[in-house]
Amino acid sequence: MNDKSVQTIADIARLAGVSKSTVSRALSGSPLVNEETRERCCAIAAEHNFQINNAARSLSMKQSHTLALVAHAYHHKECYSVTDLFLLELMGAISGALSANRYDLLLASVDPYDTQWPHQYLDTGRVDGFILMTSTRKQFHIKTLVEMKAPFIVWGTPLPGFSYCSVTGDNLMGGRLATEHLLRSGRRRIAFVGGPANEFEVQKRYEGYESVLREAGYKIDPELVSYGEFSGPSSAERVAKLLKKSVTFDAVLTNSDLMAISAINVLQENGRRVPEDVSVIGYDDLSIAQHNSPSLTTVRQNLPLVGKLLAKNLVDYIQTGIVTNVTVPAELVIRKSA
Amino acid sequence: MNDKSVQTIADIARLAGVSKSTVSRALSGSPLVNEETRERCCAIAAEHNFQINNAARSLSMKQSHTLALVAHAYHHKECYSVTDLFLLELMGAISGALSANRYDLLLASVDPYDTQWPHQYLDTGRVDGFILMTSTRKQFHIKTLVEMKAPFIVWGTPLPGFSYCSVTGDNLMGGRLATEHLLRSGRRRIAFVGGPANEFEVQKRYEGYESVLREAGYKIDPELVSYGEFSGPSSAERVAKLLKKSVTFDAVLTNSDLMAISAINVLQENGRRVPEDVSVIGYDDLSIAQHNSPSLTTVRQNLPLVGKLLAKNLVDYIQTGIVTNVTVPAELVIRKSA
DNA sequence: CTGAAAGCGCTTACAG
DNA sequence: CTGAAAGCGCTTACAG
């Protein structure tokens, strides 16, 4: 299967009766090779199941054809927030799109307070660029990367004043779609159980929520609006508080599917039926959304597409230097919970 | 920060007034260097934030210091089974342990029916070895890897007749602990809602269940035993069937946390209280286990330890050729659901 | 303990 | 279109 006699392009060159240079060109699809010669070289390579040596190629070309997905090390202890489930679902899409572009995906677990990590991966020639998630998008990380001219792409809205690649969900639209759906189904007291107040994405979703209500002639009740983490417990706690304070509400608009699931659990424990008494809407549409009981009505972020764009646009940037900032549309998926 | 003037060991050699050979030895901690010389070289390297070129190192040493975590590509379309959530939680632990050993983790998404993938990673010198999960542990993959003498380690019981590294959970003990706990809390009609019948791990858990019941003087009711997938829907379907057929049962022993969560949902929808009417036990102790409502009583697999062993033992095998097969103890975590 | 030199397996100007 | 040669940045016998 793997042929011990054919390990390098020199072996192929010998068999094909040409020089190493020619074999190298043939295998890399250079136009500087006679078609017939190219075919002969490729045939021999295929026949012997030849695989080009990656280190030699990287050393010579000064690029590794590897990208790092940056995850924060503290996520790997005990606590997995929504971002991590999100990360997993995204990882596959990224990895798939990357291999289509002949790139590999390295998993980089970095200390969130360390600023040296980019050097460890970039200066070693270990990777050609980074993919950052919203959770890793601390300002100082971005700034470090920009300063060292590291190629990278970010999932989330780009920081104003900096130029770099990004893929963002349409959070304003997401907030609008969810709110419109609730209004349409007769809900009037909609609690906004948000993620961190300082996250731009969260602010946009709130903006969508607020604008739809305002346009429909309703006022926002500040009692119904809260911010916290994207996690289930954070959501559960706030829904419980609403119940305890006897605030009336007939819908909960959360900022992640995990938050929605936890909200539903708390409501049910307190004798509220979902969606009969209270509608609950999630965000992301992770696979758990359809497996929950009741299944989640949620705003889909289209992770397969997001992953593909993250991979493709970073590779393009590395190869061409063109900065892209794209926004992926939000889509409402209606199931049982609202 | 990263110093444009000091990019290679040649630069350091110049500054230190020694040869490249000496710098190389100093940086790699070779004993063949005078202590004082070593310190001088390292100081210069640190001062200029020098990072050794990875490709050159790999090419010269003929090893990449990278391991591949093998995941199946079809997991990345739509469907994420328990194995994948499991995978994510494990990934962090593996990645952390690997960086402690100065290894990197590459994510390999492979077509489950392809047998050529090991070549693509190994013959290219891309990685030094593979970590396979239970789900990727198809017999023919193992055989291919053994035949090509590829270094690898497997999460799960090793195939008889083959010699390779593995880390396994103590599934017999896991099955026993869960069953004993249910018996102790007065349960007598315990449904075993299992994973795939042909998985060795599942068989062992059943064996634990069966032996505890037998030793306590109870008979197994075949109506209470079923096999399927590790997924939530598979579990839900079977619990629903029990309810429909009016089989009496006061406990459900599942083979994954997702299965337990789905089982609980179905039971609650049908008016059964958990754990008052029916106790439900999960397996794995993923982070969702504690966030579910009610929180899951489950058999912990200790993923941080498993990840560490997977990483460490494969690295050791690569460096020493010593085959290790270790079993990680199972531990019962008692929460609300049983 | 140290250095000069060869070698790892590619790619790519350069010359033809 | 093709080949000889230099070079990518390390490591490691080998000789001292």
Side-chain angles (χ1 to χ4, degrees):
Chain A
M1 198 154 300
N2 70 328
D3 209 306
K4 296 200 81 171
S5 62
V6 180
Q7 298 280 35
T8 72
I9 58 168
D11 298 327
I12 296 181
R14 194 168 18 79
L15 292 177
V18 295
S19 72
K20 290 192 298 172
S21 318
T22 300
V23 175
S24 174
R25 292 191 187 101
L27 261 36
S28 68
S30 160
L32 298 166
V33 196
N34 177 22
E35 177 59 19
E36 194 191 303
T37 315
R38 197 186 60 69
E39 275 173 13
R40 188 149 37 95
C41 292
C42 289
I44 294 173
E47 180 191 343
H48 295 272
N49 207 263
F50 171 75
Q51 303 283 351
I52 208 161
N53 182 290
N54 190 71
R57 191 159 182 275
S58 296
L59 178 58
S60 187
M61 298 185 71
K62 289 169 165 285
Q63 50 174 299
S64 64
H65 269 236
T66 303
L67 264 28
L69 180 61
V70 180
H72 278 335
Y74 57 43
H75 282 159
H76 297 302
K77 297 257 175 59
E78 290 277 79
C79 134
Y80 286 83
S81 69
V82 61
T83 320
D84 293 288
L85 250 186
F86 191 88
L87 187 73
L88 174 66
E89 303 226 358
L90 203 45
M91 200 145 37
I94 294 174
S95 172
L98 243 30
S99 42
N101 286 278
R102 316 223 65 223
Y103 269 76
D104 282 319
L105 220 215
L106 196 73
L107 193 68
S109 303
V110 314
D111 176 346
Y113 299 106
D114 175 28
T115 54
Q116 289 299 306
W117 62 265
H119 292 287
Q120 260 156 30
Y121 289 95
L122 215 56
D123 297 354
T124 56
R126 193 73 198 74
V127 307
D128 299 335
F130 302 99
I131 300 176
L132 304 202
M133 306 308 301
T134 311
S135 62
T136 38
R137 206 202 49 194
K138 300 272 161 58
Q139 290 216 6
F140 64 90
H141 285 146
I142 302 275
K143 283 176 184 159
T144 307
L145 289 168
V146 169
E147 269 166 25
M148 63 185 288
K149 296 184 191 302
F152 69 100
I153 193 165
V154 166
W155 161 244
T157 318
L159 250 43
F162 292 89
S163 168
Y164 55 82
C165 293
S166 69
V167 177
T168 315
D170 190 339
N171 292 289
L172 178 62
M173 184 55 68
R176 288 192 63 96
L177 288 173
T179 312
E180 282 167 358
H181 174 71
L182 291 171
L183 240 36
R184 213 180 301 123
S185 54
R187 305 295 164 166
R188 293 296 175 265
R189 297 278 300 165
I190 304 171
F192 180 88
V193 178
N198 60 342
E199 295 266 359
F200 193 70
E201 283 70 22
V202 173
Q203 294 164 11
K204 279 293 178 188
R205 292 178 198 176
Y206 175 79
E207 207 175 308
Y209 161 84
E210 189 273 334
S211 60
V212 166
L213 286 180
R214 185 162 34 75
E215 290 163 16
Y218 298 104
K219 279 221 116 125
I220 307 282
D221 180 352
E223 282 231 285
L224 291 176
V225 177
S226 68
Y227 296 94
E229 291 169 33
F230 282 116
S231 70
S234 170
S235 159
E237 184 191 318
R238 284 178 277 153
V239 172
K241 191 177 288 176
L242 287 178
L243 291 169
K244 205 153 292 168
K245 295 203 297 182
S246 300
V247 179
T248 39
F249 62 99
D250 52 15
V252 178
L253 199 171
T254 68
N255 274 188
S256 78
D257 289 336
L258 282 187
M259 293 175 85
I261 291 172
S262 291
I264 291 173
N265 286 338
V266 169
L267 289 166
Q268 289 176 338
E269 280 167 19
N270 284 275
R272 311 289 175 107
R273 293 166 305 163
V274 177
E276 293 82 352
D277 303 329
V278 181
S279 296
V280 178
I281 290 196
Y283 213 101
D284 294 340
D285 194 28
L286 304 184
S287 60
I288 46 167
Q290 50 188 305
H291 293 143
N292 193 62
S293 158
S295 59
L296 254 45
T297 292
T298 187
V299 178
R300 173 177 292 167
Q301 299 242 43
N302 199 348
L303 297 199
L305 177 59
V306 170
K308 202 170 299 176
L309 289 170
L310 247 15
K312 184 77 174 60
N313 290 355
L314 178 51
V315 168
D316 284 353
Y317 172 74
I318 289 170
Q319 292 171 351
T320 69
I322 296 171
V323 173
T324 54
N325 296 280
V326 321
T327 299
V328 176
E331 181 192 350
L332 185 69
V333 180
I334 301 176
R335 298 201 184 89
K336 296 281 168 59
S337 72
Chain B
M1 197 154 301
N2 70 327
D3 211 305
K4 296 201 82 172
S5 63
V6 180
Q7 299 280 35
T8 72
I9 58 168
D11 298 327
I12 296 181
R14 193 167 19 79
L15 292 176
V18 296
S19 72
K20 290 192 299 173
S21 318
T22 299
V23 175
S24 173
R25 292 192 187 99
L27 262 35
S28 68
S30 159
L32 299 166
V33 195
N34 176 22
E35 177 59 18
E36 194 191 303
T37 315
R38 197 185 61 68
E39 275 172 12
R40 187 150 36 94
C41 290
C42 288
I44 294 174
E47 180 191 341
H48 295 272
N49 205 262
F50 170 75
Q51 303 284 351
I52 208 161
N53 181 290
N54 190 71
R57 191 160 182 273
S58 296
L59 178 58
S60 188
M61 298 184 71
K62 288 170 167 284
Q63 48 173 303
S64 64
H65 269 236
T66 303
L67 264 27
L69 180 61
V70 180
H72 278 335
Y74 57 45
H75 282 159
H76 297 303
K77 298 256 176 58
E78 289 278 79
C79 135
Y80 286 82
S81 68
V82 61
T83 320
D84 292 288
L85 249 187
F86 190 89
L87 186 73
L88 174 66
E89 304 226 359
L90 202 45
M91 199 147 35
I94 293 174
S95 173
L98 243 29
S99 43
N101 286 278
R102 319 221 66 224
Y103 269 76
D104 282 319
L105 220 215
L106 195 73
L107 192 68
S109 304
V110 312
D111 176 347
Y113 299 107
D114 176 28
T115 54
Q116 290 299 306
W117 61 264
H119 292 289
Q120 261 157 29
Y121 289 95
L122 214 57
D123 298 355
T124 56
R126 195 71 199 73
V127 306
D128 299 336
F130 303 98
I131 300 176
L132 303 202
M133 307 307 301
T134 311
S135 61
T136 39
R137 204 203 48 198
K138 299 271 162 58
Q139 290 217 7
F140 65 92
H141 284 149
I142 302 275
K143 284 177 184 159
T144 306
L145 289 168
V146 169
E147 269 165 25
M148 62 185 288
K149 298 184 189 303
F152 69 100
I153 193 165
V154 165
W155 161 245
T157 318
L159 250 42
F162 292 89
S163 168
Y164 55 83
C165 294
S166 69
V167 177
T168 316
D170 190 339
N171 292 288
L172 178 63
M173 184 56 67
R176 289 192 62 96
L177 288 173
T179 313
E180 281 166 359
H181 173 71
L182 292 171
L183 239 37
R184 213 181 301 123
S185 54
R187 306 296 165 164
R188 292 298 175 265
R189 298 276 301 163
I190 304 171
F192 180 89
V193 178
N198 59 341
E199 294 267 359
F200 193 71
E201 283 70 23
V202 173
Q203 293 163 13
K204 280 292 179 192
R205 292 179 197 175
Y206 175 78
E207 207 176 307
Y209 159 84
E210 189 273 336
S211 60
V212 166
L213 286 180
R214 185 163 32 75
E215 289 162 16
Y218 299 104
K219 280 223 114 131
I220 307 281
D221 179 352
E223 281 230 287
L224 290 175
V225 177
S226 68
Y227 296 94
E229 291 168 33
F230 281 116
S231 70
S234 169
S235 158
E237 184 191 320
R238 284 177 277 153
V239 172
K241 192 177 288 176
L242 287 177
L243 292 169
K244 205 152 294 167
K245 295 204 297 184
S246 301
V247 179
T248 40
F249 62 98
D250 52 15
V252 178
L253 199 171
T254 68
N255 273 188
S256 78
D257 289 336
L258 281 187
M259 293 175 83
I261 290 173
S262 291
I264 291 172
N265 286 338
V266 169
L267 289 166
Q268 289 177 337
E269 280 168 20
N270 285 273
R272 311 289 176 107
R273 293 167 305 164
V274 177
E276 294 82 353
D277 303 328
V278 181
S279 297
V280 178
I281 290 195
Y283 212 101
D284 294 340
D285 195 26
L286 304 185
S287 60
I288 45 166
Q290 50 188 304
H291 293 143
N292 194 62
S293 157
S295 59
L296 255 44
T297 292
T298 187
V299 178
R300 174 176 292 167
Q301 299 243 43
N302 199 347
L303 296 199
L305 176 59
V306 170
K308 202 169 298 174
L309 289 170
L310 247 15
K312 184 78 174 61
N313 290 354
L314 178 51
V315 169
D316 283 352
Y317 172 74
I318 289 170
Q319 290 171 352
T320 69
I322 296 172
V323 173
T324 54
N325 295 281
V326 322
T327 299
V328 175
E331 181 192 348
L332 186 70
V333 180
I334 301 176
R335 298 202 184 87
K336 296 282 169 62
S337 70

